[in-house]
C-alpha cells in the first residue's frame, strides 16, 4: 500500500471562470481559527474526504459548495485531476491532497461588462474569496518568498504575490503544477467537454 493511501484524503478545486477574454481562478482566504493549521492562508476550496463521499472529485465539489456556495454539479464540471501531493513539513497535518480543475457554472462567468455574475456565499470557514487572473499568475510566477520561523528556525517558501497576500505552501505547489500543465498543453481548459 502506498504512503498516500495510508494518509487521510482531501481534495481541492481549482475553479476557473471566464471574465470577458481572460481566465480567472477562484482563491479563498481561510478564516482565522486556532484549531486550523492553515488558518488565514490563501487557499483553494476543499477539505477532507467524508466517509459518505463517492470519490475525491465529489469531495472537491462538496467542499466548494459548503465553503463558497457554488454547486459545480449544476452547470459546472470537473475537467481534470492533477497529481496528489502531501505536505513536506512534518509539522503540518499529514494528508494526501488531490486537486481537481473545474469550470464554474455559467452564472459565475462574466460575459459582458457591467453585467453582474452570481455572488459567492461564504461559509464561516472562509474570510474572503476572490478571482485571480491566470495570466497575471503565469507572468509573475512564484517570484516572491514567504518567510516564517518554525521552532526558532527561519524557513522560506516560494510564493505567488496577490493583492490579498501570498499564496505559498501546498497551494503554491498545486498552482505551480497547474500552470506548468497549461504551459505544456496550452490553455484548452474551456474547449474540453
Amino acid at each position: 500500500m502506498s504512503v498516500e493511501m495510508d494518509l487521510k484524503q482531501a481534495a481541492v478545486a481549482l475553479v476557473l471562470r471566464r471574465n470577458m477574454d481572460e481566465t480567472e481562478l477562484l482563491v479563498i482566504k481561510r478564516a482565522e481559527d486556532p484549531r486550523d493549521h492553515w488558518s488565514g492562508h490563501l487557499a483553494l476550496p476543499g477539505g477532507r474526504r467524508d466517509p459518505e463521499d463517492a470519490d475525491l472529485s465529489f469531495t472537491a465539489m462538496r467542499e466548494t459548495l459548503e465553503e463558497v456556495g457554488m454547486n459545480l454539479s449544476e452547470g459546472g464540471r470537473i475537467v481534470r485531476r492533477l497529481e496528489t501531493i502531501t505536505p513536506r513539513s512534518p509539522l503540518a497535518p499529514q494528508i494526501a491532497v488531490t486537486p481537481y480543475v473545474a469550470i464554474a457554472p455559467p452564472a459565475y462567468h462574466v460575459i459582458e461588462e457591467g453585467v453582474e455574475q452570481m455572488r459567492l456565499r461564504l461559509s464561516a470557514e472562509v474570510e474572503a474569496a476572490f478571482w485571480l487572473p491566470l495570466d497575471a499568475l503565469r507572468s509573475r510566477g512564484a517570484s516572491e518568498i514567504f518567510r516564517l520561523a518554525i521552532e526558532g528556525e527561519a524557513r522560506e517558501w516560494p510564493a505567488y504575490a496577490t493583492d490579498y497576500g501570498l499564496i505559498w505552501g501546498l497551494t503554491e505547489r498545486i498552482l505551480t503544477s497547474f500552470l506548468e500543465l497549461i504551459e505544456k498543453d496550452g490553455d484548452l481548459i474551456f474547449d474540453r467537454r
Side-chain angles (χ1 to χ4, degrees):
M1 187 175 270
S2 75
V3 173
E4 271 178 24
M5 295 308 291
D6 292 338
L7 297 175
K8 289 186 180 189
Q9 300 291 304
V12 296
L14 290 98
V15 181
L16 304 174
R17 75 165 185 187
R18 282 282 189 207
N19 183 347
M20 309 290 279
D21 291 331
E22 67 183 340
T23 303
E24 295 179 321
L25 171 71
L26 177 63
V27 175
I28 63 171
K29 180 173 185 189
R30 298 182 60 84
E32 297 289 337
D33 182 346
R35 298 167 295 155
D36 179 6
H37 179 81
W38 292 288
S39 176
H41 288 204
L42 296 187
L44 302 165
R48 288 194 166 103
R49 182 178 184 175
D50 284 347
E52 59 274 3
D53 290 351
D55 57 26
L56 285 168
S57 67
F58 183 87
T59 302
M61 292 189 300
R62 177 184 53 75
E63 287 285 343
T64 301
L65 178 60
E66 289 175 8
E67 292 182 351
V68 297
M70 180 188 296
N71 190 342
L72 291 170
S73 65
E74 292 181 357
R77 66 188 190 281
I78 300 274
V79 294
R80 180 172 265 168
R81 176 188 184 273
L82 301 180
E83 193 172 314
T84 299
I85 66 168
T86 57
R88 291 181 176 152
S89 169
L91 302 175
Q94 294 305 294
I95 191 163
V97 180
T98 302
Y100 289 87
V101 179
I103 305 300
Y108 293 91
H109 298 262
V110 181
I111 356 185
E112 225 179 289
E113 197 169 328
V115 175
E116 185 140 341
Q117 78 281 357
M118 175 94 77
R119 291 187 183 273
L120 299 168
R121 294 182 322 276
L122 308 184
S123 76
E125 297 175 35
V126 178
E127 181 180 310
F130 41 89
W131 296 93
L132 295 177
L134 274 189
D135 282 344
L137 291 168
R138 288 163 77 175
S139 66
R140 285 185 263 176
S143 58
E144 297 294 320
I145 300 292
F146 179 81
R147 292 175 176 86
L148 181 67
I150 299 176
E151 296 180 347
E153 182 183 331
R155 303 274 314 267
E156 294 183 346
W157 292 266
Y160 289 90
T162 76
D163 292 343
Y164 307 93
L166 296 176
I167 297 173
W168 64 284
L170 279 175
T171 305
E172 176 274 325
R173 289 173 51 209
I174 292 167
L175 186 53
T176 296
S177 172
F178 174 63
L179 294 175
E180 287 171 357
L181 180 71
I182 290 174
E183 284 299 317
K184 188 170 60 172
D185 290 353
D187 192 2
L188 302 173
I189 301 288
F190 285 97
D191 298 328
R192 295 184 181 157
R193 291 271 170 211

